[in-house]
């Protein structure tokens, strides 16, 4: 079954000139950062059966059985979504070599990860992972996961960033290993075969329990104050990105900065009782325990489909742009979570929980009012949170650097962790030095008229070399730039 969601293959770098393939050896660098400049199109992330030809400044796709002399450079990867390059590439793109993950044979040791539990409230234990605890003089980083996953989704950040930072990764209550260890409801004699939360009456400790953004906000608040005990840099993917902004809007004094990784632009559907009291009364249930009998029947049907390993595999295949990414561990951890007796009812509580008091835009405005530094890192091929949403945040937070990675999907931190870790490290250094250290990719490249810089970042992985394109948008970015960038793919498609 696992073959349908990933495959393993050596990644090769071919340099092609007018005589054909001149070298098939992986390009290696002994230095942490090395720049190589090419004056021909650099094409990355292609499926092995497809090639691209430069034609009057545009790229067209054709199927060939062997390389052509017209191609200047080609990066060959197995099972990568070839649709990610349907737009014009610049004729001159600098190439930057960045460090690989510590798992590579490069002499660097990975940081040790420790799994811990913290009892926040009676019957509610919060699971988290920590690395780099010995780095006492470094600014702390708190990683917030997306929906349906947990701290395990940040394994590559914990091992790498933990080498020079103190790093925590948190499981939100109702997800990962932060599930209750007792049934929040009292089961009747004809109970639902041990499915927790499906009882007829709530336990005392769970009478007001609902897995909502406000519960998670409070969870983060007390975790930072009682466990980390100092202000932190927040890094959040998807739901975690939303929660990073939401938390910072209420507790700006506990946040040093925020990195958003494909942050979801909204969360929850049930109206908030404070903001919309009349409308909220139209919804008889808002995620509390026990689940109403009608909801139990609906959840039982949906959960059977959602928790099916085949459905989980399909979702992972959908959100990862590069299907060569090994997601075995992520897949098995998600499946393991779905088998917990509290998982189905927790899922229902999350889905029916009310919205937060603030929208994402309102939370972002409060963060700006409090001068909280923000960095945006988005995978371009995300089928859920399209780049448009990240650019909208950039439009509102004009001073925030925006990095768009391609190919990368909804979870760039797991798909291209080398790039994300490099950007997060560099951005934190820029903030900590008050701007003395240049932002990543801006050490020797000025922004163009669109306020952007484009570079190919290259790193070693599995004994070969891999490259992705990163597009930076800086302070010159404007509303007109947003329109241009939104229309660019359409114009290129029409022209091609």
């Amino acid at each position: 079954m696992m073959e349908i969601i990933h495959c393993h293959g050596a990644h090769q770098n071919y340099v092609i000139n007018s005589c054909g393939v001149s070298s098939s050896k992986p390009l290696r660098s002994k230095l942490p950062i090395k720049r190589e400049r090419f004056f021909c199109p650099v094409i990355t992330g292609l499926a092995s059966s497809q090639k691209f030809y430069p034609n009057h400044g545009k790229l067209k796709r054709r199927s060939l059985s062997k390389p052509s002399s017209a191609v200047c450079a080609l990066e060959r990867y197995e099972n990568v979504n070839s649709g990610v390059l349907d737009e014009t590439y610049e004729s001159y793109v600098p190439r930057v070599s960045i460090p690989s993950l510590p798992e590579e044979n490069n002499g660097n040791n990975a940081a040790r990860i420790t799994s811990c539990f913290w009892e926040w409230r009676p019957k509610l234990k919060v699971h988290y992972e920590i690395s780099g605890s010995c780095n006492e003089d470094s600014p702390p980083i708190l990683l917030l996961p997306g929906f349906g996953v947990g701290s395990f989704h940040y394994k590559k950040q914990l091992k790498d960033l933990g080498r020079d930072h103190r790093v925590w990764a948190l499981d939100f209550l109702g997800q990962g290993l932060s599930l209750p260890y007792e049934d929040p409801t009292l089961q009747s004699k004809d109970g639902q075969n041990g499915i927790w939360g499906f009882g007829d009456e709530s336990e005392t400790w769970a009478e007001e329990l609902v897995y909502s953004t406000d519960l998670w906000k409070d969870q983060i608040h007390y975790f930072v104050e009682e466990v980390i005990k100092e202000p932190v840099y927040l890094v959040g993917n998807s739901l975690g990105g939303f929660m990073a902004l939401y938390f910072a809007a209420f507790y700006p004094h506990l946040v040093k900065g925020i990195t958003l990784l494909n942050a979801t632009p909204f969360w929850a559907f049930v109206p908030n009782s404070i903001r919309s009291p009349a409308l909220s009364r139209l919804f008889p249930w808002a995620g509390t325990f026990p689940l109403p009998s009608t909801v139990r029947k609906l959840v039982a049907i949906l959960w059977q489909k959602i928790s099916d390993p085949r459905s989980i595999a399909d979702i992972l295949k959908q959100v990862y742009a590069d299907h060569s990414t090994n997601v075995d561990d992520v897949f098995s951890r998600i499946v393991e979570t779905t088998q917990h007796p509290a998982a189905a009812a927790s899922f229902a509580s999350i889905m029916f929980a009310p919205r937060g008091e603030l929208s994402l835009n309102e939370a972002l405005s409060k963060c700006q009012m409090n001068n909280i530094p923000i960095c945006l890192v988005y995978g371009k091929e995300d089928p859920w949170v399209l780049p448009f949403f990240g650019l909208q945040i950039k439009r509102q937070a004009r001073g925030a650097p925006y990095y768009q990675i391609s190919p990368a999907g909804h979870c760039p931190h797991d798909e291209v962790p080398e790039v994300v870790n490099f950007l997060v490290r560099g951005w934190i250094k820029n903030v900590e030095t008050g701007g003395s250290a240049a932002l990543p990719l801006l050490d020797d490249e000025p922004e163009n008229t669109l306020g952007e810089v484009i570079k190919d970042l290259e790193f070693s992985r599995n004994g070969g070399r891999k490259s992705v394109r990163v597009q930076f948008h800086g302070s010159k970015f404007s509303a007109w730039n947003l329109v241009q960038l939104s229309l660019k793919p359409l114009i290129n498609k029409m022209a091609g």
Side-chain angles (χ1 to χ4, degrees), residues 431-453:
V431 175
E432 287 290 302
T433 60
S436 297
L439 284 168
L441 307 188
L442 293 189
D443 49 351
D444 62 354
E445 282 296 323
E447 301 175 29
N448 62 21
T449 55
L450 287 178
E452 64 181 7
V453 172

Side-chain angles (χ1 to χ4, degrees), residues 134-376:
C134 60
N135 301 318
E136 297 180 357
D137 296 329
S138 68
I141 301 173
L142 176 59
L143 308 171
L144 303 177
F147 173 61
V149 291
S151 55
F152 60 83
H153 211 200
Y154 284 114
K155 180 179 178 180
K156 298 168 185 175
Q157 280 67 49
L158 289 161
K159 286 187 174 183
D160 186 10
L161 296 177
R163 292 186 293 166
D164 43 28
H165 286 274
R166 288 168 293 152
V167 186
W168 287 262
L170 188 65
D171 286 12
F172 288 132
L173 283 166
Q175 300 191 132
L177 295 180
S178 291
L179 290 166
Y181 54 90
E182 289 185 14
D183 191 340
T185 60
L186 295 171
Q187 290 282 352
S188 59
K189 292 183 179 180
D190 57 344
Q192 300 289 325
N193 298 320
I195 301 178
W196 293 4
F198 279 42
D200 299 321
E201 185 179 348
S202 174
E203 291 278 11
T204 304
W205 61 270
E207 287 178 350
E208 298 181 1
L209 178 63
V210 54
Y211 297 121
S212 66
T213 53
D214 286 311
L215 176 72
W216 297 328
K217 175 198 68 179
D218 292 342
Q219 177 188 349
I220 299 170
H221 174 205
Y222 286 100
F223 186 82
V224 173
E225 285 196 333
E226 297 179 12
V227 178
I228 301 178
K229 299 181 179 180
E230 63 178 289
V232 298
Y233 283 95
L234 296 174
V235 178
N237 171 236
S238 190
L239 168 62
F242 182 96
M243 286 308 306
L245 285 175
Y246 192 70
F247 168 75
F250 287 90
Y251 302 102
H253 62 287
L254 295 177
V255 180
K256 303 190 71 173
I258 300 171
T259 298
L260 302 180
L261 306 173
N262 291 67
T264 181
F266 59 88
W267 188 257
F269 302 97
V270 176
N272 185 283
S273 60
I274 297 177
R275 296 190 55 156
S276 308
L279 191 59
S280 66
R281 285 194 290 268
L282 299 177
F283 293 80
W285 184 63
T288 55
F289 294 92
L291 277 63
S293 58
T294 53
V295 174
R296 295 178 212 168
K297 296 176 183 178
L298 175 62
V299 170
I301 296 173
L302 289 176
W303 188 249
Q304 185 176 5
K305 173 64 176 176
I306 293 171
S307 61
D308 188 322
R310 290 171 297 184
S311 298
I312 296 171
D314 288 341
I315 291 174
L316 290 176
K317 186 176 181 180
Q318 180 184 13
V319 299
Y320 280 72
D322 184 349
H323 296 159
S324 68
T325 305
N326 188 336
V327 295
D328 287 7
D329 183 60
V330 174
F331 173 83
S332 61
R333 295 294 294 273
I334 295 175
V335 171
E336 180 184 354
T337 301
T338 63
Q339 295 172 347
H340 192 285
S346 299
F347 165 78
S349 178
I350 293 171
M351 290 293 97
F352 285 89
R355 294 176 182 173
E357 295 181 34
L358 302 175
S359 68
L360 181 133
N361 289 338
E362 290 168 337
L364 178 59
S365 295
K366 285 185 174 293
C367 290
Q368 290 181 279
M369 290 173 57
N370 289 288
N371 298 316
I372 297 176
I374 296 173
C375 179
L376 309 170

Side-chain angles (χ1 to χ4, degrees), residues 76-118:
R76 181 175 182 265
Y77 296 108
E78 302 294 338
N79 290 330
V80 178
N81 181 0
S82 60
V84 303
L85 293 175
D86 291 335
E87 64 178 85
T88 302
Y89 276 73
E90 306 294 334
S91 58
Y92 167 73
V93 178
R95 178 171 290 189
V96 179
S97 182
I98 63 173
S100 60
L101 291 181
E103 288 89 350
E104 302 285 348
N105 296 323
N106 56 11
N108 296 322
N109 296 321
R112 182 172 176 267
I113 302 174
T114 303
S115 179
C116 307
F117 282 92
W118 166 60

Side-chain angles (χ1 to χ4, degrees), residues 10-57:
H11 298 156
Q12 296 178 333
N13 188 313
Y14 293 95
V15 179
I16 303 174
N17 54 30
S18 59
C19 298
V21 179
S22 61
S23 174
S24 60
K25 297 181 179 179
L27 300 177
R28 299 181 180 275
S29 172
K30 297 181 179 179
L31 300 176
I33 299 180
K34 180 182 178 181
R35 296 174 176 81
E36 302 174 7
R37 303 185 183 274
F38 295 86
F39 292 87
C40 58
V42 178
I43 309 171
T44 65
L46 303 180
S48 58
S49 61
Q50 294 175 324
K51 311 291 185 284
F52 283 75
Y53 284 78
N55 182 13
H56 303 292

